[in-house]
Amino acid sequence: MSILPLRDKNGVVTHFAAIERDVTESKERELELDEMSRHDALSDLLNRRAFDQLLEDAFAKFQDTGEVFSVLAIDIDHFKSVNDQYGHHCGDQAICKVAEICKKVFNTSGSVGRTGGEEFSILIPNKDASGAALMAEHLRRNIEAASVITEKGAIRITTSIGVSEVVISDTKPLDLMLRADKALYTAKHNGRNQVREFEPETSICDLA
Ligand SMILES: Nc1nc2c(ncn2[C@@H]2O[C@H](COP(=O)(O)OP(=O)(O)OP(=O)(O)O)[C@@H](O)[C@H]2O)c(=O)[nH]1
């Protein structure tokens, strides 16, 4: 609201005029645009940028308070053949189904992002890797049991999931994301449709 003094011909203020402008609509539009810039248009999950920001925040909190958290790196198995067999549109429907199940399973217990084409990441506060792996296994089973209903029929899909927790020697969030990716790679390499926790490779020094 702005208030303007109104003067008579001698310059003496005789009245004040109040001008009120309703900014509700523009504020709502601003919030809407902000939400849009943080979400992926296809799945409505957090986009990579927004997920990375959450990860930065969780990492800063861990450094301040020691509050542990874990991440999941999730990738749909053999997704190229889903696209090849059913077409890109049905592939998109499969991505949306995985997004929907992730949101349902992690509801208030984690933040879900679509961080690549057929890749998802989940940040789970207050959980170490073994707690996060149990949740990941629940998610994997839900996805495996679901059908993606498309105009070309029902599609069944599976996912591979890598799990890692933040540790004191991490210097940046990327460190634990890389471990989750390594665990994901192990899950793929070992036959897919499984959850793997990151395990440090046993080096010669460890054996000595
Ligand atoms: N429909 C659809 N496909 C996508 C999207 N983003 C990426 N892809 C496809 O996802 C596929 C990923 O394939 P690859 O990385 O080769 O892996 P994959 O076939 O899933 O095999 P594995 O990961 O080894 O199990 C590619 O064919 C991409 O074109 C998207 O937004 N929509």
Side-chain angles (χ1 to χ4, degrees):
M1 176 156 75
S2 25
I3 298 181
L4 298 172
L6 300 176
R7 299 170 193 277
D8 64 12
K9 58 179 189 295
N10 302 317
V12 178
V13 176
T14 55
H15 297 81
F16 288 94
I19 304 171
E20 198 169 28
R21 205 154 40 94
D22 188 356
V23 291
T24 320
E25 212 174 288
S26 61
K27 276 275 168 236
E28 276 172 1
R29 182 79 191 125
E30 211 176 284
L31 287 174
E32 206 179 294
L33 286 174
D34 187 48
E35 274 301 287
M36 277 166 68
S37 74
R38 298 181 70 241
H39 287 82
D40 161 54
L42 176 66
S43 64
D44 200 36
L45 294 176
L46 295 173
N47 58 27
R48 162 127 246 159
R49 195 165 58 92
F51 184 83
D52 284 349
Q53 186 57 58
L54 281 187
L55 197 59
E56 288 278 351
D57 295 347
F59 190 74
K61 194 169 177 193
F62 168 72
Q63 288 187 314
D64 277 357
T65 67
E67 187 179 303
V68 77
F69 66 95
S70 292
V71 290
L72 308 184
I74 303 161
D75 189 284
I76 303 178
D77 296 326
H78 298 303
F79 194 58
K80 188 176 178 309
S81 34
V82 172
N83 276 334
D84 290 348
Q85 200 177 336
Y86 299 94
H88 198 84
H89 178 63
C90 294
D92 281 357
Q93 287 175 287
I95 288 172
C96 291
K97 187 71 182 179
V98 172
E100 181 192 313
I101 298 171
C102 287
K103 271 194 276 191
K104 206 157 147 195
V105 168
F106 283 87
N107 189 15
T108 54
S109 50
S111 302
V112 187
R114 181 176 174 219
T115 42
E118 25 79 79
E119 294 159 23
F120 305 83
S121 303
I122 303 183
L123 188 154
I124 313 173
N126 282 309
K127 280 263 180 275
D128 63 11
S130 49
L134 286 177
M135 298 181 86
E137 179 58 16
H138 181 59
L139 173 68
R140 186 198 66 74
R141 285 184 194 202
N142 270 268
I143 294 170
E144 182 183 39
S147 290
V148 186
I149 308 300
T150 74
E151 58 277 16
K152 296 199 178 149
I155 307 175
R156 304 299 291 268
I157 45 173
T158 62
T159 47
S160 297
I161 307 180
V163 186
S164 77
E165 69 182 19
V166 67
V167 292
I168 200 80
S169 53
D170 288 337
T171 57
K172 53 190 180 311
L174 186 63
D175 295 341
L176 82 146
M177 281 316 298
L178 287 178
R179 289 197 299 279
D181 281 343
K182 276 190 184 165
L184 168 61
Y185 177 79
T186 308
K188 290 273 182 191
H189 190 71
N190 284 283
R192 298 177 173 78
N193 190 22
Q194 57 190 270
V195 174
R196 285 282 168 150
E197 265 180 65
F198 172 77
E199 283 166 19
E201 285 120 282
T202 313
S203 69
I204 306 281
C205 301
D206 292 331
L207 295 173

